Each structure stands twice: as structure tokens, then as C-alpha cells.
């Protein structure tokens, strides 16, 4: 007899006979997959770290970053915010990692007649002399960070024979316009004096 021709009581008995108990969890298989996944994640992390170190090796021709002189004069502008990294000027995806320039951090910028002082807690501080400043603009992105239009202050400066774009974001984005105007005015005055 088929289940269709059985009376209702018989149908329940046939269906109950067809049920099977749940399979027991294969702990060995699950643990194997978890170990394999953990090893894969560790491999990817290690490859990313090696790539970062290799990029730093390729950029080892970049000279050491200058430090601020003892006397820089009174501050024209100050900014507290975030440092998002540096790239080769005009190439917003070509990140520079040598000498800690690729390390994101909090930042305290101070602009004086002597130049731009970049203080970064937990990362290397550096100083950009006024004669090395090349320009400032508002932009929307730099390697690894994309914001709304005009959300990033990008300062272009010369270091050795390379021009560098460094990206900053103030805690108060309204300050960016004043920084661009002041920096570009200062750069034009410096170039006019040469």
C-alpha cells in the first residue's frame, strides 16, 4: 500500500517510520574549517604587512623628515584633527609609508612664518619649512580615505626631490578654507621674495 491509499492512522505510522534522527555534529570537521579559516586570515594579514614593509623599502630614498627648529615664531593658525596620510603629489592613491608618513594619527598643526609644524602623538612628528610648501587645497580623498567634497585639507610640499601631498581633517571642518587661503597666500609671498 502507498501512503495515499492508507487510512489516516496508517499514514501517521508510515511518516513516523520515514523520519530519521538528526545527524550528530561533526566536531572534527568544524574545528578543521575554523583552523583553516584562521590560517587563511593570518596569511592575508602577513601578506599585507609584508607589502607595507616592501613599499617602505622601495621608498627608502626619501630623506629623513625634518624636525621643527627651536624657535618658529608666533602661530598664525592652529588646527587639531586627524592626519590621514601622504601620497606622491598629484597621485592620490600612491601612498608614501617611509619614515612613518603612512601612519594615520591624531594631529596638531601649527602654521608659523618658519613653516608648518606637524605634531602626531604616537607617530613621527615632522616640520615643513616655509620654502618647501607648494600649495594647499580642499579635496575629497587621499589613499585610504574618501570624504565629502572639500572634506580634506591637502597640503603639497617638497621633500628632497619629491613633491608630497599630505591629507588632514580638522575637528572643525569650517577651518579648512581659512587654512587653504592662508597657506596659499604665504606660499605666494615666499615665492615673490625669492
Amino acid at each position: 500500500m502507498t501512503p495515499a491509499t492508507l487510512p489516516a492512522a496508517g499514514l501517521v505510522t508510515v511518516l513516523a517510520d520515514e523520519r530519521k534522527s538528526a545527524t550528530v555534529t561533526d566536531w572534527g570537521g568544524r574545528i578543521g574549517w575554523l583552523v583553516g579559516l584562521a590560517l587563511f586570515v593570518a596569511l592575508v594579514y602577513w601578506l599585507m604587512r609584508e607589502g607595507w614593509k616592501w613599499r617602505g623599502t622601495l621608498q627608502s630614498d626619501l630623506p629623513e623628515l625634518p624636525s621643527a627648529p627651536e624657535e618658529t615664531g608666533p602661530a598664525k593658525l592652529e588646527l587639531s584633527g586627524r592626519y590621514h596620510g601622504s601620497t606622491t603629489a598629484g597621485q592620490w592613491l600612491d601612498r608614501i609609508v617611509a619614515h612613518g608618513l603612512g601612519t594615520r594619527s591624531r594631529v596638531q598643526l601649527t602654521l608659523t612664518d618658519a613653516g608648518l609644524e606637524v605634531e602626531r602623538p604616537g607617530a613621527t612628528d615632522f616640520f615643513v619649512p616655509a620654502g618647501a610648501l607648494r600649495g594647499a587645497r580642499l579635496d575629497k580623498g587621499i589613499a585610504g580615505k574618501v570624504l565629502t567634497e572639500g572634506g580634506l585639507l591637502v597640503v603639497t610640499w617638497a621633500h628632497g626631490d619629491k613633491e608630497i601631498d599630505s591629507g588632514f581633517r580638522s575637528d572643525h571642518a569650517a577651518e579648512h578654507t581659512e587654512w587653504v587661503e592662508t597657506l596659499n597666500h604665504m606660499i605666494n609671498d615666499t615665492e615673490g621674495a625669492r
Side-chain angles (χ1 to χ4, degrees), residues 52-65 95-100 159 161-162:
W52 187 269
K53 287 176 13 183
W54 179 249
R55 182 173 275 277
T57 302
L58 291 176
Q59 297 168 347
S60 63
D61 61 334
L62 196 65
E64 286 293 324
L65 298 172
R95 184 188 301 262
I96 297 175
V97 301
H99 307 301
H159 185 55
D161 60 351
K162 186 174 215 140

Side-chain angles (χ1 to χ4, degrees), residues 40-185:
F40 176 73
V41 169
L43 174 67
V44 168
Y45 177 77
W46 180 78
L47 288 172
M48 287 173 26
R49 181 179 167 98
E50 290 301 307
W52 187 269
K53 287 176 13 183
W54 179 249
R55 182 173 275 277
T57 302
L58 291 176
Q59 297 168 347
S60 63
D61 61 334
L62 196 65
E64 286 293 324
L65 298 172
S67 55
E70 291 295 324
E71 264 311 306
T72 58
K76 288 183 171 191
L77 288 175
E78 290 184 331
L79 175 146
S80 180
R82 300 229 16 114
Y83 169 77
H84 287 292
S86 293
T87 62
T88 302
Q91 299 177 14
W92 74 283
L93 290 176
D94 186 21
R95 184 188 301 262
I96 297 175
V97 301
H99 307 301
L101 287 175
T103 306
R104 289 186 183 182
S105 62
R106 292 286 304 160
V107 71
Q108 179 67 38
L109 290 181
T110 306
L111 181 65
T112 64
D113 287 329
L116 180 66
E117 188 173 352
V118 182
E119 296 176 51
R120 301 185 304 151
T124 308
D125 297 344
F126 61 95
F127 181 76
V128 181
L133 291 168
R134 297 294 183 256
R137 68 181 186 281
L138 296 178
D139 212 328
K140 65 179 179 181
I142 200 161
K145 187 65 174 180
V146 178
L147 300 162
T148 59
E149 191 65 46
L152 195 66
L153 169 65
V154 177
V155 177
T156 304
W157 53 288
H159 185 55
D161 60 351
K162 186 174 215 140
E163 287 200 354
I164 297 173
D165 284 342
S166 293
F168 306 95
R169 176 147 176 94
S170 173
D171 291 335
H172 309 286
E175 297 176 336
H176 289 173
T177 305
E178 182 183 8
W179 271 82
V180 169
E181 291 170 359
T182 304
L183 275 165
N184 286 329
H185 181 72

Side-chain angles (χ1 to χ4, degrees), residues 25-44:
T25 303
D26 178 15
W27 287 106
R30 283 194 180 187
I31 290 172
W33 276 105
L34 288 174
V35 168
L37 180 62
L39 288 174
F40 176 73
V41 169
L43 174 67
V44 168

